[in-house]
Structures are given as C-alpha cells and as structure tokens.
Amino acid sequence: MNTILIANPKGGSGKTTMSTNLAGYFASRGRHVVLSDMDRQRSATAWLNRRPVSLPLIHGLDGRGKHADSLSAEWSIIDSPAGLHGDKLSDAVKRADWVVVPIQPSAFDIGATEDFLEILRAEKAIRKERTFVAMVGIRVDPRTKTALKLQEFLDQAGFPVMTNLRDGQVYMQAAEQGMSIFDMRPSLVKRDVQQWAPLLHWLINADRNAK
Ligand SMILES: Nc1ncnc2c1ncn2[C@@H]1O[C@H](COP(=O)(O)OP(=O)(O)O)[C@@H](O)[C@H]1O
Ligand SMILES: [Mg+2]
C-alpha cells in the first residue's frame, strides 16, 4: 500500500482539496483508493457522500474505525485536521510513505507552516528517509510579490516543491459536486491537470505496488 498523508497545521491551507483530488486521480486510473478522514469537520467524508455513483469508486474511512491496510488499498490518502501535532502527528508520519504539505502564499500561512516544517525535519521517519515530504503551493499567481515570498520561504525549507497550483474556480466546483478535477470535462481543467503532473509523476514513480 502507498500511504500519503496530507498535512499542514493551518486551516484552509488546501488539505482537503489536495486529498480529494489525489483520491479522485488514483480512482480515475482504476486504482483501489481509500480516503481516510482524520478531521472532525468531516469535509472529506461529506465530499465522498456527494460523490455521484457513476464516478470511479473511492472507499471512505472516517478515522474512527478500521485502518486502510485492512482494506488492501493500493493508495491510502489521509486528510488530516488543522493543528495535528504531538504523538498523533508522529504516528501519522511514521505510517506514511509521503507527507504532502499544501501551503498558500500569505504571511499567516508561511508563519504557521514554518514551525511545522521544523517539527517534520526532526521526525525520525523523515530523517531516516523512510517518509518523504513534498510541498505544494496553493493558489499561486506567479506574477505576485506574495508568490515570490513563498518561493523564497520554500527555497530554504529543505523539502522539494513539487508543484504550484493556481487559484481556480474548478476546485470549488469540483468540491461541491463530489468530484475531483480529474473527473471534470478535460477542456475545463486542462491547465490545472498539467499543474498536478509533477506531483503525480513523483508519487507514481515510487509506487510500491508497481514494483
Ligand atoms: N487551488 C485552489 N484554487 C481555488 N480554491 C482553492 C484551491 N485550493 C483550495 N481551495 C479552496 O480553499 C478553501 C480551503 O481549502 P481546504 O482544502 O478546505 O483546506 P483545509 O482542508 O486545509 O482546511 C476551500 O474552499 C477550497 O475549495
Ligand atoms: Mg480540511
């Protein structure tokens, strides 16, 4: 099983959006996907409940019961709550093959993420390179000063920046309809799908099931 933990202590940084879209992507490729919702707000679970039955199946877990390993998933995607810390964070990091950290270009988001990255750097599983961390810029407009500030911050963060996603209405539309951008009409999401490619490429190349 490939396990991806989506984490950032800041609320609204894009965790559930990353989680649902990653789950939607792997499902659209015919993979057996489990989406685990660790957040009490249950946004990922609500998204799954809105998902049309005609779309590729994603198995949902609400974090209270079984673990994804008992479902023999190929891809286990874990959406985490804001403020995940301490033993719960360490445990989740240890179980994951990857931690994907979405971050928006604002002083508040950068400030909140700074300490979190420090904690990640100190995690044993990450130091021993058993778990890998990737950053993803969210709602990034490369022409802005804030995007430059985010870039500067990420350059010294010590983790690779896999991609930057633009601020796109399609993410809100997809969320409302229980869809990922990978379930939408290709002409609507061409640019967005392209922006996901480097992150997906990185994950797929390390796919354990494929080896
Ligand atoms: N790239 C994006 N473009 C536009 N809106 C986005 C993008 N990523 C996230 N959002 C929106 O930002 C809000 C917060 O994202 P969400 O994924 O719920 O964050 P979190 O789970 O970290 O609290 C949501 O309304 C979501 O639709
Ligand atoms: Mg969320």
Side-chain angles (χ1 to χ4, degrees):
M1 185 171 69
N2 298 286
T3 303
I4 309 171
L5 172 69
I6 319 295
N8 185 316
K10 180 84 170 52
S13 59
K15 294 179 287 298
T16 302
T17 304
M18 288 296 310
S19 303
T20 52
N21 279 285
L22 275 174
Y25 171 74
F26 288 115
S28 76
R29 310 305 296 178
R31 299 314 183 103
H32 183 191
V33 183
V34 172
L35 175 60
S36 302
D37 191 355
M38 283 177 76
D39 192 348
R40 270 196 240 156
Q41 284 177 8
R42 300 273 173 261
S43 307
T45 304
W47 175 81
L48 264 184
N49 291 338
R50 288 194 294 274
R51 189 165 173 80
V53 287
S54 56
L55 291 179
L57 179 76
I58 297 168
H59 218 105
L61 288 180
D62 66 4
R64 285 177 291 204
K66 290 192 251 181
H67 272 294
D69 19 1
S70 64
L71 293 170
S72 58
E74 289 170 283
W75 291 90
S76 162
I77 317 285
I78 301 169
D79 186 22
S80 69
L84 178 66
H85 70 285
D87 289 348
K88 260 198 162 167
L89 172 64
S90 293
D91 196 47
V93 167
K94 208 160 65 186
R95 285 172 183 277
D97 300 297
W98 301 280
V99 182
V100 173
V101 182
I103 178 169
Q104 299 204 24
S106 88
F108 296 138
D109 289 72
I110 290 172
T113 308
E114 212 159 18
D115 294 344
F116 180 65
L117 295 183
E118 190 70 49
I119 292 167
L120 286 186
R121 276 190 287 271
E123 285 292 335
K124 193 170 167 197
I126 290 167
R127 278 192 286 118
K128 301 271 180 200
E129 300 195 337
R130 289 193 290 263
T131 304
F132 296 91
V133 178
M135 312 292 304
V136 173
I138 302 288
R139 294 175 138 162
V140 177
D141 179 347
R143 296 161 302 187
T144 58
K145 250 190 196 155
T146 48
L148 192 67
K149 285 244 167 69
L150 177 66
Q151 193 58 48
E152 282 168 5
F153 168 68
L154 293 174
D155 282 347
Q156 49 78 50
F159 296 123
V161 182
M162 278 308 154
T163 191
N164 287 299
L165 305 180
R166 69 166 173 157
D167 189 339
Q169 276 296 313
V170 285
Y171 288 102
M172 315 253 193
Q173 289 162 9
E176 271 171 27
Q177 298 171 56
M179 293 168 96
S180 73
I181 61 161
F182 304 99
D183 302 309
M184 296 175 90
R185 194 147 35 96
S187 59
L188 271 180
V189 291
K190 193 162 169 243
R191 224 175 102 204
D192 305 284
V193 166
Q194 278 170 359
Q195 290 183 327
W196 278 76
L199 173 68
L200 298 172
H201 190 78
W202 182 67
L203 295 167
I204 291 162
N205 274 323
D207 179 352
R208 287 159 174 245
N209 300 310
K211 288 196 175 127

